[in-house]
Amino acid sequence: MSPHSNDLLLRRACANYLYIRQRAIPRTASGSIQLDWAGSQQQDFQAMLVTCLMSTSDTPHALEHPKKTCIASASGYFNAIMSRPEVLEILTNTACRIASRLMPVLYDQSRIAGIPVLRLLNVTSHRVRLIHLPTSARLDLIDSSPSRDRTRRDMRRDFLRETQWHAQPHIEPLWEKAGLTAAEEAQKHHWARQTCTPLRSALLVRSMPIWYKFDLYPTLLAPTRGQQHYQLVWEADAYHPGADQVGELLTQSPVRIPRARYQPLTAEAGLLTLDDSGLVLTAVPALGG
């Protein structure tokens, strides 16, 4: 088979796994497919973001909204995720709604909900453009199917409507602040550099097939006392894959993480490694499954 044919098959496979058009697949100047473009600071942000997104209503993240499930349910609105030089792009039919769930607010002057120090850059006719100040990481939420005659004013109107709940008396919209607030400074451990930061960042770029092809909504748990690695946990049964299948996706499929390796540990768990970092994949047997 010719190199051109191999490249075409690879592009088709990547498009299928990641739910994006072949022409939209990120590539190098030489034309090679490259899924991971994030520099170290962009990785810091993406690692924090995936840890927040990979949570559930039963196991909420510390930055989840206290009175409703916002961050944990955001992935249900995603159509595609693409890492590009200098920016992470998330395609969604509800860009303004997702922005309202991710931008930080302070509840009752005590609890932050949303991504700390995420700020609004601007709103265009089809994008909500955000920046994470400490890392200078960029996030663009893109309306997947905007109408041809949609204007910036239309998008801005949607944005104002979706963020109305931020104006409630017990809520302070921190995303309107110019700089980092004291409350957000106290949360800097969420975006602090860790050994597993590049691995978690790469996991975000490949999260769509986990959520949609495998129909899994796992929880990404930070290591507790006595544990070395983060743990990705989900409920598995006859209709959902086990740890080995997810490990194969991340190390052997067309969208594999370069240099990543997978080693089964038990019937339900395995270790995903990248250089000197690791992530335990755990498929908990469903009750009655």
Side-chain angles (χ1 to χ4, degrees):
M1 186 176 292
S2 70
H4 175 75
S5 298
N6 282 329
D7 179 69
L8 179 60
L9 290 175
L10 180 58
R11 281 189 285 120
R12 286 176 176 172
C14 287
N16 180 57
Y17 274 102
L18 301 177
Y19 299 90
I20 59 180
R21 293 178 294 105
Q22 290 185 44
R23 292 182 179 180
I25 298 173
R27 308 181 77 169
T28 65
S30 64
S32 300
I33 292 173
Q34 181 170 318
L35 301 182
D36 301 285
W37 285 90
S40 60
Q41 288 190 299
Q42 186 81 26
Q43 287 178 352
D44 295 341
F45 169 72
Q46 292 181 183
M48 171 176 60
L49 181 60
V50 74
T51 307
C52 293
L53 291 172
M54 287 193 169
S55 59
T56 65
S57 58
D58 293 331
T59 313
H61 192 275
L63 296 172
E64 182 60 276
H65 296 67
K67 298 182 180 180
K68 54 185 176 180
T69 302
C70 286
I71 300 178
S73 62
S75 63
Y77 296 91
F78 294 172
N79 294 330
I81 297 176
M82 289 178 287
S83 174
R84 298 195 183 281
E86 310 302 330
V87 63
L88 177 75
E89 294 183 339
I90 296 180
L91 278 68
T92 169
N93 291 331
T94 55
C96 294
R97 180 168 301 171
I98 297 305
S100 78
R101 296 180 176 206
L102 296 184
M103 295 187 305
V105 298
L106 188 66
Y107 270 89
D108 299 321
Q109 300 182 335
S110 61
R111 174 172 175 171
I112 288 182
I115 308 300
V117 215
L118 190 62
R119 299 293 188 260
L120 177 68
L121 279 177
N122 57 46
V123 175
T124 72
S125 61
H126 64 287
R127 291 182 184 239
V128 179
R129 301 173 66 242
L130 304 165
I131 185 170
H132 184 245
L133 295 183
T135 60
S136 299
R138 281 279 317 285
L139 170 63
D140 280 14
L141 302 172
I142 308 171
D143 261 353
S144 300
S145 54
S147 61
R148 292 178 180 271
D149 58 351
R150 185 175 178 83
T151 66
R152 180 182 180 276
R153 179 177 296 180
D154 295 329
M155 190 74 160
R156 185 68 182 179
R157 187 181 299 114
D158 288 349
F159 180 84
L160 292 174
R161 182 178 64 252
E162 291 290 352
T163 55
Q164 281 181 344
W165 62 275
H166 291 187
Q168 296 177 35
H170 63 287
I171 294 177
E172 181 183 0
L174 297 179
W175 57 270
E176 293 182 340
K177 305 295 184 181
L180 183 149
T181 66
E184 291 170 306
E185 172 72 20
Q187 303 298 323
K188 62 184 180 182
H189 57 282
H190 288 296
W191 66 84
R193 188 75 177 181
Q194 299 181 40
T195 304
C196 66
T197 292
L199 182 56
R200 286 186 290 143
S201 176
L203 178 66
L204 175 63
V205 177
R206 295 154 181 85
S207 56
M208 288 297 290
I210 293 176
W211 284 321
Y212 285 86
K213 288 198 178 299
F214 288 165
D215 193 28
L216 300 178
Y217 288 88
T219 302
L220 184 54
L221 301 172
T224 57
R225 185 182 298 274
Q227 294 180 328
Q228 181 180 1
H229 305 298
Y230 273 75
Q231 187 176 19
L232 190 68
V233 184
W234 67 93
E235 189 175 272
D237 53 26
Y239 305 100
H240 296 91
D244 291 353
Q245 288 173 273
V246 176
E248 182 179 359
L249 168 77
L250 297 173
T251 60
Q252 302 296 326
S253 77
V255 296
R256 61 185 175 272
I257 301 171
R259 305 189 316 279
R261 299 289 183 267
Y262 175 76
Q263 175 187 353
L265 298 176
T266 67
E268 292 83 26
L271 179 62
L272 178 71
T273 58
L274 177 64
D275 300 329
D276 56 351
S277 67
L279 173 67
V280 177
L281 309 179
T282 304
V284 179
L287 294 178

